[in-house]
Amino acid sequence: APLPQGLGSRFRRRPGSRRGPGGQCPRLPGLTTGPSPNGFNPAPFDRQLKRKQKNWAALQPEPAKYDYLREEVGGRVADRVFDITRTFPLALDVGCGSGYIAQYLNKETVEKLFQVDMAENALKNTMETEIPTVSVVADEEFLPFKEDTFDLVVSSLSLHWVNDLPRAFREIHQVLKPDGVFIGAMFGGETLYELRCSLQLAELEREGGFSPHISPFTDVTDLGHLLGRAGFNTLTVDTDEIQVNYPGMFEIMEDLKGMGESNCSWNRKPILHRETMLAAAAIYQEMYGSNDGSVPATFEIYYMIGWKFQESQARPAQRGSATVSFGDLAKINALI
């Protein structure tokens, strides 16, 4: 997918993971979903607040100014759709926003697309696409569709805010037809680690303790298990990192707000003191700043593909059914 216009100098794909100069980012406790009477909080996120945040972001004078990351990842999800050589009569985009995936698709691949989002204002600003679309206001955890409805389900940078990810995967699996495919992307566990570490260290220094200001993310080692438990098979999960350069920490936080990605955890701290914020910005610059004065923000992206079972699908051969040993590969020319 092409880089967002005008962002080539500060937007790049990262082949590997770095945690700051010379070592690992400090791993500090306290990033769980928060306390509850029984020691477990089954609903870490305030979904009503998240809906308000997304609606507010969609009503800003220039909402497209903050869409560069979503458009980039939406293009990469669309690339994975094009890799499957078939036409999908009916598709569903879960958490579509302004249609970041749909703008890259065409009629030869998808004949009709349902776009679902919890924020009605985002659906009012959907981008133009050649595919016939239907907009539906609904929660990602409670899809209002019958079983075996869609040939394809896609999702980009939305599922990290659901309170019950296993349920969301089960809902997606349920609305897929047999031999249907789910292709998704979501933020991973190392997303915004620079901002997380800077805020934690500043709060420890200035206030003697800290609260989680970056929402918790799913770990890649759990993603395959969750998809398998939801009923998907022939799974593919891969990770990527995108790094965006900003003038400073406050510009990062402004863009996150413009994306509708502000923290909505129930146990978030409502106020950060001015001195703490200034200290965090200084720590960010010192630990991660570049020679040109900019600071990086890393976004780890998990891409996932899962299929709904059908008898006609190819399956792995039974263990022990091979007729040629791997040890014979060195003799392949002689065998031929």
Side-chain angles (χ1 to χ4, degrees):
L3 292 178
Q5 185 175 5
L7 289 169
S9 62
R10 71 183 182 108
F11 189 104
R12 66 177 184 270
R13 188 172 181 169
R14 298 183 61 200
S17 176
R18 291 190 292 274
R19 300 291 173 266
Q24 293 285 325
C25 165
R27 288 287 184 175
L28 300 174
L31 288 177
T32 58
T33 57
S36 66
N38 60 0
F40 174 69
N41 187 356
F45 302 124
D46 184 344
R47 294 286 290 171
Q48 288 301 319
L49 175 60
K50 177 49 58 182
R51 182 183 180 186
K52 292 178 181 178
Q53 291 173 349
K54 295 179 71 173
N55 275 324
W56 177 89
L59 289 177
Q60 296 312 294
E62 296 180 283
K65 183 172 73 171
Y66 305 104
D67 286 344
Y68 50 89
L69 185 63
R70 295 187 183 279
E71 290 188 6
E72 174 69 15
V73 176
R76 297 184 184 184
V77 172
D79 286 342
R80 287 162 169 79
V81 176
F82 291 132
D83 287 339
I84 302 173
T85 55
R86 67 167 67 173
T87 298
F88 299 98
L90 190 61
L92 170 68
D93 187 351
V94 177
C96 64
S98 298
Y100 304 107
I101 301 176
Q103 63 176 329
Y104 296 103
L105 301 175
N106 55 46
K107 291 181 179 178
E108 289 72 28
T109 305
V110 175
E111 295 179 353
K112 187 174 182 179
L113 177 67
F114 276 70
Q115 296 180 297
V116 171
D117 201 280
M118 67 187 299
E120 60 274 14
N121 291 336
L123 292 172
K124 295 175 184 177
N125 297 330
T126 52
M127 305 175 188
E128 291 186 4
T129 176
E130 64 181 69
I131 305 170
T133 60
V134 178
S135 297
V136 179
V137 179
D139 194 306
E140 294 94 332
E141 295 183 38
F142 304 95
L143 298 178
F145 304 105
K146 294 181 179 180
E147 188 175 356
D148 301 341
T149 299
F150 297 98
D151 306 279
L152 166 70
V153 177
V154 294
S155 179
S156 179
L157 303 186
S158 171
L159 294 176
H160 59 287
W161 287 122
V162 301
N163 279 317
D164 191 346
L165 189 57
R167 179 195 175 101
F169 284 154
R170 289 195 300 269
E171 290 275 313
I172 291 171
H173 183 269
Q174 180 174 322
V175 301
L176 273 173
K177 294 179 180 178
D179 199 36
V181 60
F182 166 56
I183 303 176
M186 62 186 296
F187 286 122
E190 298 299 329
T191 295
L192 296 174
Y193 71 85
E194 304 99 336
L195 181 60
R196 181 192 304 125
C197 293
S198 300
L199 288 171
Q200 288 181 354
L201 292 174
E203 268 197 298
L204 282 172
E205 177 191 357
R206 297 304 172 101
E207 303 180 27
F210 65 89
S211 300
H213 299 286
I214 307 298
S215 301
F217 298 104
T218 303
D219 192 85
V220 68
T221 56
D222 299 326
L223 199 54
H225 297 299
L226 293 176
L227 289 166
R229 285 171 52 191
F232 291 100
N233 58 29
T234 319
L235 300 174
T236 302
V237 178
D238 61 285
T239 67
D240 195 5
E241 285 191 353
I242 297 174
Q243 189 182 83
V244 185
N245 292 330
Y246 295 87
M249 187 192 79
F250 295 108
E251 285 77 10
I252 297 174
M253 299 178 75
E254 178 186 356
D255 275 24
L256 290 173
K257 185 177 181 181
M259 296 176 193
E261 289 295 326
S262 299
N263 191 358
C264 70
S265 299
W266 283 107
N267 63 342
R268 67 192 181 279
K269 188 176 181 179
I271 298 176
L272 266 176
H273 299 292
R274 180 175 181 272
E275 294 78 9
T276 304
M277 292 291 290
L278 293 173
I283 291 171
Y284 204 131
Q285 183 67 49
E286 179 65 25
M287 290 183 64
Y288 306 106
S290 305
N291 294 332
D292 61 1
S294 64
V295 295
T298 299
F299 299 90
E300 185 177 33
I301 313 296
Y302 297 157
Y303 297 96
M304 65 205 91
I305 301 176
W307 295 79
K308 189 168 183 177
F309 176 76
Q310 188 186 49
E311 287 292 337
S312 62
Q313 287 176 343
R315 307 180 200 177
Q318 292 184 351
R319 184 182 295 273
S321 62
T323 58
V324 178
S325 169
F326 277 110
D328 295 332
L329 289 178
K331 311 171 186 176
I332 188 69
N333 291 329
L335 291 174
I336 293 176

